């Protein structure tokens, strides 16, 4: 089979379970209970990168937390041959509108990625220098259609305004116990749409619009006095040798008086390393963020955010990222505090939180 093309290898090695058309044989025709994936379903297939599928075919299902009913082909087929099989499997989804999973680059702490996602993310940010304030956010993202996604962000903030350091006796919806306040922040509703994607060039570009509603308690420092809208472009670019670049640029415009519109840009480079050949993925990144008032002067504020994203489970759909936000160059006395930033992410399309460990 050394020179056979991908389709011939697939027909000989894979089709007896997955079916020649890739839709998977009916349960009555196979001797196991696991449901077979449908390689012709673009919504499922396009988002899975070749490298993950080659890992599964080479090492068997358990390498990504799947069933051992998916056998390992490492004794029978080389990675190169499996690459050819992927070439065939990729012809089974015929709608090129779906951006490929390779373009789904590691999620940074601040830069919004261009790839539309099905994700739950819990984010936290903790001031390391000031009196003490922390922000958490619950992010829900859901794809619709080949290239679009909606997003809801529910932030939650804690702030210690001096006073009794030991007073943790907070109750649920009140905001203030002596000197400390906490509560819901400003709710964000967003829509993302991918304008352009090309796997060959390794590029994806998306447009995103957000409405930030004044649901947070303004007096407690947890919200703005009115609604704000934001629009930006995001870019994802695959670079050689597992490196990548992502960027985002846009503007935030308050729809109330007394606040200036702000322009912002973010850019990051990173690279992914894998433990062993098929193991845990580590993606260190360096992110730079710049912000500037668009009306009436003021300098540009620049933050550096070194960080590392890593996969937590075998299926690699539960991920974490930890980094530091380091403000630079701001006028003396006004420099915002150093912040610890982190998130925990579940790519829920690939399984529940407790699956695939
Ligand atoms: C003996 C039956 C059988 C054969 C032969 C087989 N598979 Fe599978 N395969 C399965 C089963 C069952 C699953 C689903 C496992 C699960 O969901 O836990 C699976 C899952 C997969 C997946 C994972 C898809 C995902 O969910 O991300 C890939 C990729 C795959 N197979 C590729 C191949 C390739 C390539 C071949 C041939 C070289 C092949 N399989 C041959 C049974 C088989």
């Amino acid at each position: 089979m050394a020179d056979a093309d991908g389709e011939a290898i697939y027909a000989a090695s894979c089709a007896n379970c997955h079916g020649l058309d890739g839709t998977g044989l009916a349960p009555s025709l196979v001797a196991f209970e696991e449901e077979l994936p449908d390689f012709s379903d673009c919504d499922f297939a396009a988002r899975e990168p070749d490298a993950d599928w080659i890992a599964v075919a080479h090492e068997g299902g358990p390498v990504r937390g799947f069933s051992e009913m998916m056998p390992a082909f490492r004794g029978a087929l080389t990675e190169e041959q499996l690459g050819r099989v992927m070439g065939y499997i990729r012809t089974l989804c015929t709608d090129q509108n779906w951006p490929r999973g390779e373009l789904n680059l590691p999620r940074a702490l601040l830069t919004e990625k261009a790839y539309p996602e099905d994700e739950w993310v819990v984010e936290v940010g903790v001031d390391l220098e000031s009196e003490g304030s922390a922000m958490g956010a619950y992010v829900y993202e859901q794809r619709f259609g080949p290239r679009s996604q909606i997003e809801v962000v529910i932030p939650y903030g804690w702030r210690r305004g001096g006073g009794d350091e030991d007073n943790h006796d907070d109750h649920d919806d009140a905001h203030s116990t002596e000197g400390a306040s906490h509560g819901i922040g400003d709710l964000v509703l967003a829509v993302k749409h991918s304008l352009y994607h090309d796997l060959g060039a390794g590029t994806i570009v998306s447009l995103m619009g957000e409405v930030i509603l004044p649901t947070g308690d303004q007096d407690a420092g947890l919200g703005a006095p009115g609604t704000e809208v934001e629009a930006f472009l995001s870019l994802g670019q695959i670079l050689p040798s597992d490196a990548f670049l992502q960027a985002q640029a846009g503007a935030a415009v308050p729809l109330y008086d007394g606040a200036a519109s702000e322009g912002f840009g973010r850019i990051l480079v990173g690279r992914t390393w894998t433990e062993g050949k098929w193991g845990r993925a580590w993606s260190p990144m360096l992110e730079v963020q710049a912000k500037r008032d668009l009306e009436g002067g003021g300098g540009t504020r620049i933050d550096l955010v070194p960080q590392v994203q890593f996969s937590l489970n075998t299926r690699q759909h539960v991920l974490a990222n930890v980094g530091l936000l380091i403000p630079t160059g701001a006028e003396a006395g006004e420099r915002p505090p150093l912040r610890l930033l982190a998130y925990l992410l579940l790519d829920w399309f690939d399984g529940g939180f407790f699956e695939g460990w």
Side-chain angles (χ1 to χ4, degrees):
M1 223 162 18
D3 298 322
D5 69 11
E7 181 170 2
I9 304 175
Y10 180 89
S13 306
C14 318
N16 50 334
C17 292
H18 288 285
L20 249 194
D21 63 358
T23 56
L25 294 192
S28 57
L29 297 176
V30 289
F32 48 80
E33 285 175 358
E34 279 78 4
E35 210 181 308
L36 284 151
D38 180 354
F39 294 140
S40 71
D41 173 10
C42 299
D43 188 8
F44 155 71
R47 65 176 81 207
E48 303 294 339
D50 274 357
D52 274 342
W53 277 4
I54 290 177
V56 167
H58 196 266
E59 297 296 292
V63 77
R64 284 289 178 274
F66 292 112
S67 157
E68 54 210 8
M69 284 304 134
M70 167 58 209
F73 284 87
R74 62 176 161 247
L77 296 172
T78 63
E79 281 174 60
E80 196 272 325
Q81 287 170 315
L82 287 170
R84 274 184 264 157
V85 173
M86 292 308 139
Y88 171 68
I89 292 181
R90 293 301 177 186
T91 63
L92 301 172
C93 150
T94 51
D95 183 353
Q96 300 308 313
N97 231 337
W98 295 82
R100 277 282 294 278
E102 280 82 350
L103 297 170
N104 188 3
L105 299 169
R107 181 191 175 106
L109 288 167
L110 302 175
T111 305
E112 178 80 32
K113 69 161 81 167
Y115 197 86
E117 271 283 51
D118 286 322
E119 280 176 353
W120 280 334
V121 188
V122 178
E123 301 174 338
V124 288
V126 182
D127 276 2
L128 298 179
E129 290 174 332
S130 69
E131 288 284 295
S133 102
M135 199 73 195
Y138 178 79
V139 183
Y140 176 75
E141 295 171 0
Q142 178 164 355
R143 291 179 72 161
F144 65 97
R147 305 209 252 161
S148 306
Q149 173 213 299
I150 51 151
E151 181 171 327
V152 179
V153 183
I154 307 169
Y156 199 90
W158 295 261
R159 210 167 258 270
R160 177 164 296 153
D164 185 358
E165 292 275 303
D166 289 319
N167 197 339
H168 290 295
D169 251 5
D170 301 341
H171 38 99
D172 265 334
D173 52 354
H175 328 287
S176 217
T177 54
E178 289 158 44
S181 52
H182 65 108
I184 299 272
D186 288 346
L187 192 77
V188 182
L189 303 175
V191 180
K192 184 192 288 181
H193 183 75
S194 163
L195 301 173
Y196 170 82
H197 62 92
D198 180 348
L199 182 62
T203 308
I204 180 166
V205 177
S206 297
L207 181 67
M208 188 150 166
E210 293 190 358
V211 179
I212 305 157
L213 301 168
T215 51
D217 184 342
Q218 200 190 334
D219 296 335
L222 295 169
T227 303
E228 186 170 297
V229 290
E230 216 176 278
F232 54 82
L233 277 172
S234 284
L235 162 80
Q237 178 64 49
I238 299 175
L239 302 176
S241 42
D242 300 323
F244 52 86
L245 178 146
Q246 299 182 57
Q248 176 192 11
V253 180
L255 302 181
Y256 51 90
D257 290 336
S261 299
E262 185 181 68
F264 59 87
R266 300 181 175 121
I267 187 162
L268 71 97
V269 286
R271 183 187 189 278
T272 300
W273 275 270
T274 312
E275 266 178 40
K277 199 152 166 43
W278 318 102
R280 191 185 304 278
W282 296 87
S283 303
M285 302 174 234
L286 180 63
E287 198 171 9
V288 181
Q289 147 169 287
K291 292 185 169 186
R292 169 184 199 103
D293 282 356
L294 293 178
E295 301 145 34
T300 303
R301 300 178 304 286
I302 294 182
D303 304 316
L304 294 180
V305 191
Q307 60 197 274
V308 57
Q309 192 217 48
F310 45 99
S311 58
L312 292 173
N313 66 345
T314 330
R315 191 164 300 171
Q316 304 195 338
H317 74 305
V318 181
L319 300 142
N321 187 335
V322 180
L324 266 188
L325 186 143
I326 308 168
T328 65
E331 302 88 85
E334 281 185 18
R335 188 175 70 77
L338 199 66
R339 270 175 100 73
L340 177 76
L341 300 179
Y343 70 63
L344 179 68
L345 180 161
L346 169 71
D347 189 346
W348 54 262
F349 190 90
D350 283 349
F353 189 87
F354 297 102
E355 283 176 56
W357 286 80

